[in-house]
Amino acid sequence: MQAVFNVALPVFGIMFAGYMSGRLGLLGESASQALNNFVYYFALPPLLFLSMAQVPLDQIFNWPYLAAYTGGVLAVFAAAMIAGLILFPGRPALHCMQGMAATFSNTGYMGVPLFIAAFGEQMLLPALIATVYNGALVVGVMVVLIELDMKAGSRPLLILRGVVVAIAKNPLVMSTAIGILFSAWQIAVPVPIENFSKILGAAAGPAALFSMGLFLYGKPMTAGLGEVGIMTFLKLIAQPLITWWLAVPVMNLDPFWAASAVIMAALPTGGLAFVLSLRYGIYTQRMSGTILMSTVLSVVTVSFVLVYFGIE
Protein backbone atom coordinates (compact mmCIF):
# COMPACT_ATOMS: atom_id res chain seq x y z
CA MET A 1 0.00 0.00 0.00
CA GLN A 2 2.90 2.36 0.65
CA ALA A 3 3.90 2.40 -3.04
CA VAL A 4 0.35 3.30 -4.11
CA PHE A 5 0.00 5.85 -1.33
CA ASN A 6 3.26 7.52 -2.37
CA VAL A 7 1.90 7.94 -5.90
CA ALA A 8 -1.75 8.76 -5.11
CA LEU A 9 -1.09 11.35 -2.39
CA PRO A 10 0.74 13.83 -4.68
CA VAL A 11 -2.02 13.44 -7.30
CA PHE A 12 -4.68 14.24 -4.71
CA GLY A 13 -2.51 17.03 -3.26
CA ILE A 14 -2.19 18.84 -6.61
CA MET A 15 -5.96 18.65 -7.11
CA PHE A 16 -6.43 20.03 -3.58
CA ALA A 17 -4.02 22.89 -4.31
CA GLY A 18 -6.11 23.83 -7.34
CA TYR A 19 -9.29 23.69 -5.27
CA MET A 20 -7.77 25.92 -2.58
CA SER A 21 -6.59 28.46 -5.17
CA GLY A 22 -10.23 28.93 -6.11
CA ARG A 23 -11.45 28.95 -2.53
CA LEU A 24 -8.90 31.61 -1.52
CA GLY A 25 -9.77 33.74 -4.54
CA LEU A 26 -6.31 33.49 -6.06
CA LEU A 27 -7.62 32.18 -9.38
CA GLY A 28 -11.04 32.59 -10.97
CA GLU A 29 -13.18 30.13 -12.91
CA SER A 30 -11.71 31.27 -16.23
CA ALA A 31 -8.26 30.12 -15.08
CA SER A 32 -9.41 26.50 -15.16
CA GLN A 33 -10.29 26.78 -18.84
CA ALA A 34 -7.02 28.58 -19.58
CA LEU A 35 -5.00 25.87 -17.84
CA ASN A 36 -6.94 23.19 -19.67
CA ASN A 37 -6.21 24.85 -23.02
CA PHE A 38 -2.53 24.99 -22.11
CA VAL A 39 -2.52 21.25 -21.36
CA TYR A 40 -4.54 20.34 -24.46
CA TYR A 41 -2.72 22.46 -27.04
CA PHE A 42 0.80 22.90 -25.64
CA ALA A 43 1.84 20.43 -22.90
CA LEU A 44 0.27 17.11 -23.90
CA PRO A 45 1.17 17.08 -27.63
CA PRO A 46 4.96 17.07 -27.09
CA LEU A 47 4.57 14.46 -24.34
CA LEU A 48 2.59 12.14 -26.62
CA PHE A 49 4.94 12.76 -29.53
CA LEU A 50 8.02 11.87 -27.52
CA SER A 51 6.35 8.82 -25.94
CA MET A 52 5.58 7.41 -29.38
CA ALA A 53 8.81 8.44 -31.11
CA GLN A 54 11.08 6.76 -28.54
CA VAL A 55 9.34 3.37 -28.26
CA PRO A 56 9.98 0.84 -31.09
CA LEU A 57 6.76 -0.25 -32.77
CA ASP A 58 7.54 -3.94 -32.31
CA GLN A 59 7.62 -3.36 -28.54
CA ILE A 60 4.37 -1.40 -28.53
CA PHE A 61 2.36 -4.15 -30.23
CA ASN A 62 2.39 -6.88 -27.59
CA TRP A 63 -0.84 -8.39 -28.89
CA PRO A 64 -1.78 -10.77 -26.03
CA TYR A 65 -1.27 -8.00 -23.46
CA LEU A 66 -3.20 -5.51 -25.57
CA ALA A 67 -6.00 -8.02 -26.17
CA ALA A 68 -6.50 -8.66 -22.44
CA TYR A 69 -6.42 -4.96 -21.61
CA THR A 70 -8.65 -3.98 -24.54
CA GLY A 71 -11.18 -6.67 -23.65
CA GLY A 72 -11.60 -5.16 -20.20
CA VAL A 73 -11.89 -1.66 -21.66
CA LEU A 74 -14.55 -2.62 -24.22
CA ALA A 75 -16.65 -4.66 -21.77
CA VAL A 76 -16.71 -1.92 -19.12
CA PHE A 77 -17.16 0.85 -21.70
CA ALA A 78 -20.29 -0.94 -22.94
CA ALA A 79 -21.53 -1.47 -19.36
CA ALA A 80 -21.05 2.22 -18.54
CA MET A 81 -22.90 3.31 -21.66
CA ILE A 82 -25.80 0.91 -20.96
CA ALA A 83 -25.98 2.13 -17.35
CA GLY A 84 -25.98 5.70 -18.63
CA LEU A 85 -28.72 5.05 -21.18
CA ILE A 86 -30.95 3.47 -18.53
CA LEU A 87 -30.17 5.52 -15.41
CA PHE A 88 -28.69 8.81 -16.66
CA PRO A 89 -30.00 9.41 -20.21
CA GLY A 90 -28.46 12.08 -22.41
CA ARG A 91 -26.92 12.67 -25.81
CA PRO A 92 -24.58 10.02 -27.31
CA ALA A 93 -21.44 12.08 -26.63
CA LEU A 94 -22.34 12.18 -22.94
CA HIS A 95 -22.65 8.39 -22.82
CA CYS A 96 -19.26 8.11 -24.53
CA MET A 97 -17.76 10.25 -21.78
CA GLN A 98 -19.41 8.01 -19.18
CA GLY A 99 -17.65 5.10 -20.83
CA MET A 100 -14.37 7.01 -20.77
CA ALA A 101 -14.81 7.84 -17.08
CA ALA A 102 -15.22 4.14 -16.30
CA THR A 103 -12.28 2.87 -18.41
CA PHE A 104 -9.59 5.52 -18.98
CA SER A 105 -6.78 4.55 -16.60
CA ASN A 106 -4.29 7.04 -15.20
CA THR A 107 -1.41 5.13 -16.78
CA GLY A 108 0.93 8.08 -17.28
CA TYR A 109 0.86 9.85 -13.93
CA MET A 110 0.14 6.89 -11.67
CA GLY A 111 0.95 3.79 -13.71
CA VAL A 112 4.49 4.77 -14.68
CA PRO A 113 5.68 5.86 -11.19
CA LEU A 114 3.87 2.90 -9.63
CA PHE A 115 5.69 0.48 -11.96
CA ILE A 116 9.03 2.11 -11.16
CA ALA A 117 8.33 1.70 -7.44
CA ALA A 118 7.06 -1.88 -7.77
CA PHE A 119 9.29 -3.37 -10.50
CA GLY A 120 12.07 -0.90 -11.31
CA GLU A 121 12.68 1.16 -14.45
CA GLN A 122 13.89 -1.86 -16.43
CA MET A 123 10.36 -3.36 -16.27
CA LEU A 124 8.50 -0.21 -17.32
CA LEU A 125 7.41 -1.32 -20.80
CA PRO A 126 3.80 -2.42 -19.96
CA ALA A 127 3.04 0.97 -18.41
CA LEU A 128 4.51 2.77 -21.44
CA ILE A 129 2.47 0.62 -23.83
CA ALA A 130 -0.74 1.36 -21.90
CA THR A 131 0.08 5.09 -21.87
CA VAL A 132 0.62 5.12 -25.64
CA TYR A 133 -2.56 3.06 -26.09
CA ASN A 134 -4.58 5.64 -24.14
CA GLY A 135 -3.01 8.67 -25.77
CA ALA A 136 -3.05 7.37 -29.33
CA LEU A 137 -6.01 5.01 -29.67
CA VAL A 138 -8.53 5.82 -26.95
CA VAL A 139 -8.31 9.61 -27.30
CA GLY A 140 -8.54 9.32 -31.10
CA VAL A 141 -11.62 7.10 -30.93
CA MET A 142 -13.27 9.40 -28.38
CA VAL A 143 -12.67 12.45 -30.58
CA VAL A 144 -14.30 10.64 -33.53
CA LEU A 145 -17.34 9.55 -31.47
CA ILE A 146 -17.88 13.01 -29.99
CA GLU A 147 -17.47 14.73 -33.35
CA LEU A 148 -19.98 12.32 -34.93
CA ASP A 149 -22.53 13.32 -32.30
CA MET A 150 -21.73 17.02 -32.69
CA LYS A 151 -22.25 16.79 -36.45
CA ALA A 152 -25.38 14.63 -36.23
CA GLY A 153 -28.19 15.81 -38.50
CA SER A 154 -25.88 16.95 -41.26
CA ARG A 155 -25.49 15.20 -44.60
CA PRO A 156 -23.24 12.10 -44.47
CA LEU A 157 -20.49 13.70 -46.55
CA LEU A 158 -20.52 16.79 -44.35
CA ILE A 159 -20.35 14.60 -41.25
CA LEU A 160 -17.38 12.69 -42.68
CA ARG A 161 -15.66 15.92 -43.69
CA GLY A 162 -16.25 17.43 -40.26
CA VAL A 163 -14.82 14.40 -38.47
CA VAL A 164 -11.74 14.26 -40.71
CA VAL A 165 -11.10 17.98 -40.23
CA ALA A 166 -11.57 17.67 -36.46
CA ILE A 167 -9.06 14.82 -36.27
CA ALA A 168 -6.59 16.64 -38.51
CA LYS A 169 -6.82 19.71 -36.26
CA ASN A 170 -6.67 17.73 -33.00
CA PRO A 171 -3.22 18.31 -31.45
CA LEU A 172 -3.29 15.08 -29.42
CA VAL A 173 -4.05 12.84 -32.38
CA MET A 174 -1.64 14.57 -34.75
CA SER A 175 1.27 14.66 -32.29
CA THR A 176 0.79 10.93 -31.70
CA ALA A 177 0.70 10.26 -35.45
CA ILE A 178 3.94 12.19 -35.99
CA GLY A 179 5.54 10.24 -33.15
CA ILE A 180 4.47 6.95 -34.80
CA LEU A 181 6.14 8.07 -38.05
CA PHE A 182 9.37 8.86 -36.20
CA SER A 183 9.26 5.41 -34.58
CA ALA A 184 8.34 3.54 -37.76
CA TRP A 185 11.05 5.25 -39.82
CA GLN A 186 13.54 5.07 -36.92
CA ILE A 187 14.17 8.81 -36.99
CA ALA A 188 16.18 10.02 -34.01
CA VAL A 189 14.53 12.93 -32.23
CA PRO A 190 16.97 15.90 -32.28
CA VAL A 191 18.23 16.72 -28.79
CA PRO A 192 16.76 20.28 -28.68
CA ILE A 193 13.32 18.93 -29.68
CA GLU A 194 13.64 16.10 -27.17
CA ASN A 195 14.51 18.50 -24.36
CA PHE A 196 11.74 20.89 -25.42
CA SER A 197 9.22 18.04 -25.37
CA LYS A 198 10.41 16.77 -21.99
CA ILE A 199 10.29 20.19 -20.33
CA LEU A 200 6.91 21.21 -21.74
CA GLY A 201 5.42 17.72 -21.46
CA ALA A 202 6.35 17.51 -17.78
CA ALA A 203 3.86 20.31 -17.09
CA ALA A 204 0.91 18.38 -18.54
CA GLY A 205 0.11 16.21 -15.52
CA PRO A 206 0.38 18.84 -12.77
CA ALA A 207 -1.46 21.46 -14.83
CA ALA A 208 -4.32 19.08 -15.69
CA LEU A 209 -4.72 18.00 -12.05
CA PHE A 210 -4.51 21.60 -10.79
CA SER A 211 -7.10 22.68 -13.36
CA MET A 212 -9.38 19.87 -12.25
CA GLY A 213 -9.18 20.90 -8.61
CA LEU A 214 -9.87 24.53 -9.50
CA PHE A 215 -12.87 23.45 -11.58
CA LEU A 216 -14.29 21.57 -8.58
CA TYR A 217 -14.37 24.70 -6.41
CA GLY A 218 -17.89 26.02 -6.04
CA LYS A 219 -19.43 22.85 -7.44
CA PRO A 220 -21.63 20.80 -5.07
CA MET A 221 -19.47 17.79 -4.17
CA THR A 222 -22.52 15.58 -3.67
CA ALA A 223 -24.02 16.35 -7.10
CA GLY A 224 -24.34 13.21 -9.16
CA LEU A 225 -22.84 11.14 -6.36
CA GLY A 226 -24.74 8.02 -7.40
CA GLU A 227 -23.54 8.28 -10.99
CA VAL A 228 -19.96 9.00 -9.92
CA GLY A 229 -20.14 6.02 -7.58
CA ILE A 230 -21.26 3.69 -10.39
CA MET A 231 -18.49 4.87 -12.72
CA THR A 232 -15.93 4.51 -9.93
CA PHE A 233 -17.13 0.97 -9.17
CA LEU A 234 -16.86 0.02 -12.84
CA LYS A 235 -13.36 1.54 -13.02
CA LEU A 236 -11.82 0.13 -9.85
CA ILE A 237 -13.66 -3.20 -9.53
CA ALA A 238 -15.27 -4.33 -12.81
CA GLN A 239 -12.47 -3.41 -15.21
CA PRO A 240 -9.62 -5.15 -13.31
CA LEU A 241 -11.81 -8.22 -12.67
CA ILE A 242 -12.69 -8.64 -16.35
CA THR A 243 -9.09 -7.98 -17.36
CA TRP A 244 -7.88 -10.60 -14.85
CA TRP A 245 -10.37 -13.13 -16.23
CA LEU A 246 -9.13 -12.55 -19.77
CA ALA A 247 -5.41 -12.41 -18.89
CA VAL A 248 -5.23 -15.37 -16.49
CA PRO A 249 -7.89 -18.09 -16.98
CA VAL A 250 -8.71 -17.36 -20.64
CA MET A 251 -5.39 -16.35 -22.25
CA ASN A 252 -2.92 -17.70 -19.68
CA LEU A 253 -0.53 -14.79 -20.16
CA ASP A 254 2.99 -14.73 -18.80
CA PRO A 255 2.63 -13.88 -15.05
CA PHE A 256 4.41 -10.52 -15.36
CA TRP A 257 2.32 -9.40 -18.34
CA ALA A 258 -0.90 -10.69 -16.75
CA ALA A 259 -0.15 -8.76 -13.56
CA SER A 260 0.71 -5.68 -15.64
CA ALA A 261 -2.59 -5.78 -17.55
CA VAL A 262 -4.62 -6.06 -14.34
CA ILE A 263 -2.66 -3.31 -12.56
CA MET A 264 -3.15 -0.95 -15.51
CA ALA A 265 -6.87 -1.75 -15.53
CA ALA A 266 -7.14 -1.17 -11.78
CA LEU A 267 -5.72 2.38 -11.88
CA PRO A 268 -8.11 5.30 -11.24
CA THR A 269 -9.52 7.47 -14.02
CA GLY A 270 -6.84 9.64 -15.65
CA GLY A 271 -6.76 13.40 -15.88
CA LEU A 272 -6.69 13.42 -19.69
CA ALA A 273 -10.33 12.31 -19.60
CA PHE A 274 -11.16 15.57 -17.79
CA VAL A 275 -9.10 17.57 -20.30
CA LEU A 276 -11.17 16.10 -23.15
CA SER A 277 -14.49 16.58 -21.35
CA LEU A 278 -13.75 20.22 -20.57
CA ARG A 279 -12.53 20.78 -24.13
CA TYR A 280 -15.95 19.73 -25.46
CA GLY A 281 -17.97 20.98 -22.48
CA ILE A 282 -19.46 17.53 -21.83
CA TYR A 283 -19.66 15.64 -18.54
CA THR A 284 -17.08 17.87 -16.83
CA GLN A 285 -18.42 17.84 -13.27
CA ARG A 286 -19.14 14.10 -13.17
CA MET A 287 -15.78 13.36 -14.80
CA SER A 288 -13.84 15.39 -12.24
CA GLY A 289 -15.84 13.76 -9.44
CA THR A 290 -15.06 10.29 -10.80
CA ILE A 291 -11.35 11.10 -11.04
CA LEU A 292 -11.34 12.41 -7.47
CA MET A 293 -13.26 9.49 -5.96
CA SER A 294 -11.44 6.80 -7.93
CA THR A 295 -8.04 8.29 -7.05
CA VAL A 296 -8.80 8.26 -3.33
CA LEU A 297 -10.27 4.74 -3.31
CA SER A 298 -7.56 3.31 -5.57
CA VAL A 299 -5.13 3.41 -2.66
CA VAL A 300 -7.04 0.40 -1.30
CA THR A 301 -8.02 -1.38 -4.53
CA VAL A 302 -4.66 -1.12 -6.31
CA SER A 303 -2.88 -2.21 -3.14
CA PHE A 304 -5.08 -5.31 -3.09
CA VAL A 305 -4.12 -6.09 -6.70
CA LEU A 306 -0.42 -5.73 -5.88
CA VAL A 307 -0.75 -8.04 -2.87
CA TYR A 308 -2.72 -10.58 -4.94
CA PHE A 309 0.12 -10.81 -7.45
CA GLY A 310 2.73 -10.99 -4.69
CA ILE A 311 4.18 -7.52 -5.28
CA GLU A 312 5.25 -5.81 -2.08
Side-chain angles (χ1 to χ4, degrees):
M1 181 176 288
Q2 186 64 39
V4 184
F5 189 76
N6 288 342
V7 174
L9 185 60
V11 170
F12 180 73
I14 296 171
M15 292 175 64
F16 181 72
Y19 178 86
M20 289 305 297
S21 72
R23 184 175 180 84
L24 295 175
L26 301 176
L27 293 174
E29 186 174 347
S30 61
S32 178
Q33 183 65 58
L35 278 170
N36 194 75
N37 286 341
F38 164 73
V39 172
Y40 192 84
Y41 289 104
F42 295 100
L44 267 175
L47 179 66
L48 293 174
F49 160 74
L50 199 60
S51 298
M52 286 300 304
Q54 295 186 331
V55 179
L57 289 184
D58 60 343
Q59 293 185 28
I60 294 174
F61 296 115
N62 184 314
W63 296 115
Y65 170 72
L66 288 172
Y69 184 76
T70 301
V73 169
L74 292 177
V76 175
F77 194 94
M81 289 193 69
I82 292 171
L85 284 167
I86 296 173
L87 301 175
F88 316 105
R91 63 185 304 169
L94 182 142
H95 296 311
C96 289
M97 294 309 294
Q98 288 169 333
M100 192 176 192
T103 59
F104 193 86
S105 292
N106 192 352
T107 55
Y109 302 112
M110 282 192 69
V112 169
L114 180 62
F115 257 64
I116 293 174
F119 300 107
E121 290 191 22
Q122 71 278 7
M123 305 296 282
L124 196 54
L125 185 57
L128 294 177
I129 292 174
T131 301
V132 170
Y133 174 97
N134 278 341
L137 180 61
V138 176
V139 170
V141 170
M142 289 302 303
V143 168
V144 171
L145 293 175
I146 293 171
E147 288 291 339
L148 284 173
D149 182 34
M150 296 294 188
K151 304 292 191 299
S154 302
R155 288 180 295 175
L157 285 179
L158 289 178
I159 294 176
L160 179 61
R161 177 181 176 275
V163 170
V164 171
V165 169
I167 292 174
K169 294 170 62 177
N170 187 283
L172 307 184
V173 176
M174 295 311 298
S175 60
T176 300
I178 295 171
I180 290 175
L181 292 178
F182 268 68
S183 178
W185 294 342
Q186 298 181 344
I187 302 173
V189 179
V191 173
I193 295 178
E194 180 181 356
N195 291 336
F196 170 84
S197 300
K198 285 181 177 178
I199 294 170
L200 195 54
L209 294 169
F210 191 93
S211 169
M212 196 186 317
L214 178 58
F215 176 83
L216 285 171
Y217 172 68
K219 308 295 190 300
M221 298 297 288
T222 56
L225 193 59
E227 184 175 355
V228 168
I230 291 173
M231 299 307 153
T232 299
F233 171 82
L234 290 172
K235 184 70 202 71
L236 297 183
I237 306 297
Q239 188 177 357
L241 276 175
I242 294 172
T243 305
W244 170 85
W245 177 73
L246 291 170
V248 180
V250 175
M251 303 179 66
N252 194 27
L253 292 187
D254 171 84
F256 171 69
W257 286 96
S260 300
V262 177
I263 292 169
M264 290 295 102
L267 292 171
T269 306
L272 182 52
F274 172 79
V275 172
L276 200 62
S277 70
L278 190 60
R279 173 70 183 84
Y280 283 99
I282 300 171
Y283 206 64
T284 48
Q285 188 170 342
R286 303 292 193 271
M287 185 69 79
S288 57
T290 302
I291 292 171
L292 178 63
M293 181 182 290
S294 63
T295 299
V296 173
L297 295 180
S298 69
V299 174
V300 176
T301 57
V302 176
S303 295
F304 175 82
V305 172
L306 293 176
V307 170
Y308 173 81
F309 283 105
I311 303 164
E312 300 297 335

